[in-house]
Amino acid sequence: MDYIFDIFYEEIFETMERNGLQTRQCRRDVIDRLNSVISGCIRGQNLSADECSRQAVLSAIEYHQRHKEENGNVCLMGKYHNILYVTIRVAWDWGVTDSEVVTSLLKEIYSCELTFERLFLGVIFGTNAPYFISGWRSDFKDQDENTRAMVYFLHHAANTQLEFPVFVEKCNCVKMIKFIDIPIESCGRASPLRVTLQASAPDILLILLRHGASPNPFDDGIPPVIALFDKLIEYQDRRYPYQLDSCLRLLLRTLSFIELPFKPLIYEARKEMFIEKYEVLLEDKLIQPNRVFGVPELKHLSRCKIREELNKNCQLPRGIKQLKIPGKLRRYIDLMEE
């Protein structure tokens, strides 16, 4: 069956212009034709939908690799690269279940782009935003569908404990970073979580945090919680926007404590400066003093520790369901309750 898809890709791209997959409509046309071929293989060869769609994805990856190797292992971009985004949509449409195949597709994209901004921008800002930010129109019809697709890829990335090498300027070294934390190039190399906070999108933030996004990403910015504090104190009338307030509350659920800024000053000086700068937030109980200066409550520390261990093994959020504890506690650990 694999030769069917090999022939399909070779024939359809042979006469196509280099930028033939640049527009969303052109990609949509190819996706529709590829879906028709998959449907035909299912009926004609009596194979499962999962097996046929899996092979379609594999053949696209091999097509990309073949042309890349012929060019000295440098991606030709254009249609030769955008075929991967056709396949991203096909994998989502058919719900390919083989995590190794799905993550191989993600690896191919990263090897050429070193980012997944085309997947994440539509989730954070809506499907029209990628065009204005990076000149790319999302292949998903709306933000909700893009979000569900992101969760689909997060699930497969967790299954294979997928990580990518990322150069971190803060420590001047390369670190292995999880798929969910890969910086978005067109947003100043900020992590998806940081960009989500900048966009004040608590619903997306909750999804990212539940799936193990780091509340302190390696993206060279100040701690996200401190950035939120700085935004909140700008509202001198103390009428804090609901979205900002919600983002802060969600983020604080994942932090065992808040590290005082203003290093390398001594602790007492840092504490005094913190109180002076964020006094209104302390008074309005947006910041709990024991999370900064004292000892956080045991229940909260336990949640953070359990999530930390689950995240190390790429078991968020699904691993929480396997914990033999009351449902209310599972919801608490899963960040669904304060």
Side-chain angles (χ1 to χ4, degrees), residues 24-295:
R24 177 166 53 189
Q25 185 56 53
C26 289
R27 293 195 301 276
R28 185 72 255 177
D29 291 342
V30 174
I31 290 168
D32 290 341
R33 293 170 67 178
L34 181 54
N35 283 339
S36 296
V37 173
I38 293 173
S39 297
C41 288
I42 294 171
R43 293 192 300 269
Q45 299 197 18
N46 196 28
L47 295 171
S48 68
D50 188 59
E51 177 59 29
C52 287
S53 55
R54 173 184 176 277
Q55 188 57 55
V57 173
L58 279 175
S59 294
I61 293 173
E62 291 168 1
Y63 178 89
H64 176 262
Q65 290 175 338
R66 186 163 59 252
H67 286 276
K68 186 175 179 179
E69 289 171 1
E70 291 172 357
N71 194 46
N73 283 323
V74 177
C75 183
L76 291 163
M77 302 307 286
K79 64 182 181 181
Y80 301 101
H81 180 73
N82 291 339
I83 185 178
L84 298 177
Y85 285 96
V86 168
T87 318
I88 281 281
R89 178 70 211 206
V90 169
W92 156 249
D93 282 342
W94 291 91
V96 175
T97 59
D98 190 329
S99 294
E100 292 293 341
V101 171
V102 175
T103 53
S104 293
L105 178 57
L106 295 175
K107 288 176 182 177
E108 282 299 304
I109 292 174
Y110 187 79
S111 69
C112 301
E113 298 184 26
L114 301 181
T115 185
F116 292 105
E117 62 183 35
R118 293 183 183 180
L119 288 177
F120 282 104
L121 286 177
V123 175
I124 300 169
F125 297 109
T127 51
N128 289 325
Y131 178 74
F132 298 104
I133 296 174
S134 60
W136 178 266
R137 292 192 185 278
S138 173
D139 291 305
F140 300 101
K141 65 180 181 180
D142 53 34
Q143 189 174 13
D144 177 66
E145 185 178 70
N146 203 157
T147 302
R148 288 186 285 115
M150 179 193 70
V151 171
Y152 166 80
F153 289 108
L154 287 174
H155 168 75
H156 287 291
N159 282 347
T160 58
Q161 300 188 1
L162 185 61
E163 293 182 329
F164 297 94
V166 176
F167 179 77
V168 181
E169 293 184 8
K170 188 183 297 183
C171 61
N172 195 31
C173 64
V174 174
K175 287 185 175 291
M176 297 303 294
I177 305 295
K178 290 183 178 180
F179 168 62
I180 198 171
D181 292 320
I182 296 297
I184 299 176
E185 288 290 332
S186 59
C187 294
R189 301 198 79 248
S191 71
L193 179 135
R194 189 183 297 277
V195 177
T196 300
L197 287 172
Q198 292 169 348
S200 300
D203 50 344
I204 305 302
L205 177 64
L206 178 59
I207 293 172
L208 292 175
L209 290 173
R210 289 185 65 232
H211 284 82
S214 173
N216 290 304
F218 291 100
D219 59 2
D220 303 319
I222 66 172
V225 69
I226 300 299
L228 270 179
F229 291 163
D230 290 340
K231 289 181 71 173
L232 285 165
I233 60 175
E234 293 175 2
Y235 295 87
Q236 297 180 2
D237 58 1
R238 297 189 176 185
R239 295 181 179 179
Y240 309 113
Y242 169 78
Q243 291 84 354
L244 272 182
D245 179 63
S246 298
C247 284
L248 178 61
R249 292 179 186 277
L250 289 171
L251 191 61
L252 289 176
R253 293 179 190 179
T254 65
L255 295 169
S256 55
F257 68 95
I258 301 168
E259 185 175 0
L260 288 173
F262 315 117
K263 287 183 176 180
L265 298 177
I266 62 173
Y267 175 80
E268 289 301 326
R270 291 161 60 200
K271 178 179 178 180
E272 184 178 339
M273 293 172 68
F274 185 91
I275 293 174
E276 181 180 352
K277 185 173 183 179
Y278 303 116
E279 182 179 8
V280 292
L281 301 183
L282 289 163
E283 290 176 355
D284 293 339
K285 298 183 179 180
L286 291 179
I287 303 175
Q288 298 179 31
N290 66 324
R291 299 279 182 91
V292 189
F293 316 120
V295 179

